[in-house]
Structure formats: C-alpha cells, structure tokens
Amino acid sequence: MKIVVSKMASLRGVKNLALFEKALNAAAVSTGLDLSAPGEIHIFFVTVPRMIALNALHLHHQGDTDVITYDLRDEEEFDWPEEAGERILAEIFVCPEVARRQAPQFSETPSRELFRYAAHGLLHLAGEDDLTSEALASMRKAEERVLDYAEKIGFSLEKFL
C-alpha cells in the first residue's frame, strides 16, 4: 500500500508535500493498517470551501471540518480492473486552514495538527472511530502514537505549514 499526497492547485501555504508523504508512509506502520495490501490511499489537501462542500454533500453537516475519510476498499463501483493500475483504497480530504485555526486550541503547532489529521484518516481506515467519548479517547491516543512514531524515526513534523 502506498500513500499519495497532493493538494488543490489553488491552495497556498502548504510546503514540503514530498516530505509529508514520506513521513506519513513511514509512520503508517504505527496505525495498524495492513500495509501489504496492494493499492493507494490518496490524501488531498483542500480549501475551506471545498471541505464545506464535501461535508455537506457526503456527511450532511454544515460548515467546514478538519478531515473526511472515504474508505473505498469494499465499494464495488470503485473496483478497478487490474489493467487500470493501482487500485485506490481510500481518499482522505484534509483542510490545512482548519489545522491553522484549531492548532492553538489544542496547544499544537499548525504543522503537527495537519499531520494529525492525515493520521486520523488513516486510523479510521485501520478501524478506529470517534463516535463515543471512549472511542474518541482511544483515537486521540492512537493519533499521538503515530505522531510520536514519525518523530522517533527522524521526521520533523514542523515543516508543512
């Protein structure tokens, strides 16, 4: 499994996409995902208006949000033929502006908050949820585990915003 990171062309302020992608691919081992599965997970950095639209269209919520994960592994309509290339296993949409806005509320840097959102999406794919207070506490611990692992293996998470 490979994680691919990209951004909307109009999005400004996100730096070091290649480094972000490398760090996330390396830290993915700490999420519990089956990394031997063939295919790709696409992570897209999007603007606030795009996140508002996705949130309304697919989750029926108003306003922006930090991260939305679409697990496509069991969706027959997305089951590409082998000759089409790597299968997209999931799409994760992350909003850097929300990371900038929310980071101070959590005594966090915007760059680490952005990495946390991507890790959050991966953890959903690994089976974590955040629908109850107990599950949310477990998710927060798992997020910290992923961030700590990335830093432990030598990645600085301060270079993205």
Side-chain angles (χ1 to χ4, degrees), residues 83-123:
E83 65 273 8
E86 287 293 333
R87 179 171 181 234
I88 298 176
L89 303 174
E91 293 179 338
I92 300 171
F93 292 83
V94 177
C95 189
E97 187 54 40
V98 172
R100 283 187 193 94
R101 187 178 70 229
Q102 289 188 352
Q105 297 172 27
F106 300 109
S107 300
E108 193 59 89
T109 67
S111 190
R112 278 179 53 87
E113 190 72 1
L114 184 67
F115 198 84
R116 178 182 309 279
Y117 296 167
H120 184 94
L122 294 176
L123 288 163

Side-chain angles (χ1 to χ4, degrees), residues 5-148:
V5 179
S6 60
K7 70 177 188 70
M8 289 179 62
S10 63
L11 187 66
R12 302 286 180 250
V14 177
K15 304 178 286 191
N16 300 316
L17 281 179
L19 181 61
F20 191 98
E21 182 177 286
K22 186 175 180 181
L24 201 53
N25 271 286
V29 69
S30 66
T31 65
L33 273 171
D34 175 10
L35 300 178
S36 66
E40 297 176 345
I41 295 172
H42 288 229
I43 297 179
F44 301 100
F45 294 138
V46 299
T47 61
V48 168
R50 178 63 54 92
M51 191 59 98
I52 290 170
L54 290 169
N55 205 17
L57 182 65
H58 297 283
L59 300 177
H60 309 293
H61 298 156
Q62 290 193 354
D64 61 20
T65 190
D66 47 9
V67 57
I68 298 175
T69 302
Y70 299 99
D71 187 345
L72 307 175
R73 292 175 288 190
D74 294 325
E75 298 292 328
E76 288 182 24
E77 64 196 82
F78 293 105
D79 196 14
W80 295 2
E82 286 184 34
E83 65 273 8
E86 287 293 333
R87 179 171 181 234
I88 298 176
L89 303 174
E91 293 179 338
I92 300 171
F93 292 83
V94 177
C95 189
E97 187 54 40
V98 172
R100 283 187 193 94
R101 187 178 70 229
Q102 289 188 352
Q105 297 172 27
F106 300 109
S107 300
E108 193 59 89
T109 67
S111 190
R112 278 179 53 87
E113 190 72 1
L114 184 67
F115 198 84
R116 178 182 309 279
Y117 296 167
H120 184 94
L122 294 176
L123 288 163
H124 273 306
L125 297 173
E128 291 279 345
D129 75 56
D130 51 9
L131 300 176
T132 66
S133 57
E134 186 176 276
L136 181 59
S138 175
M139 175 68 86
R140 294 292 178 248
K141 285 180 186 176
E143 290 169 359
E144 282 302 317
R145 181 181 70 239
V146 175
L147 271 69
D148 290 347

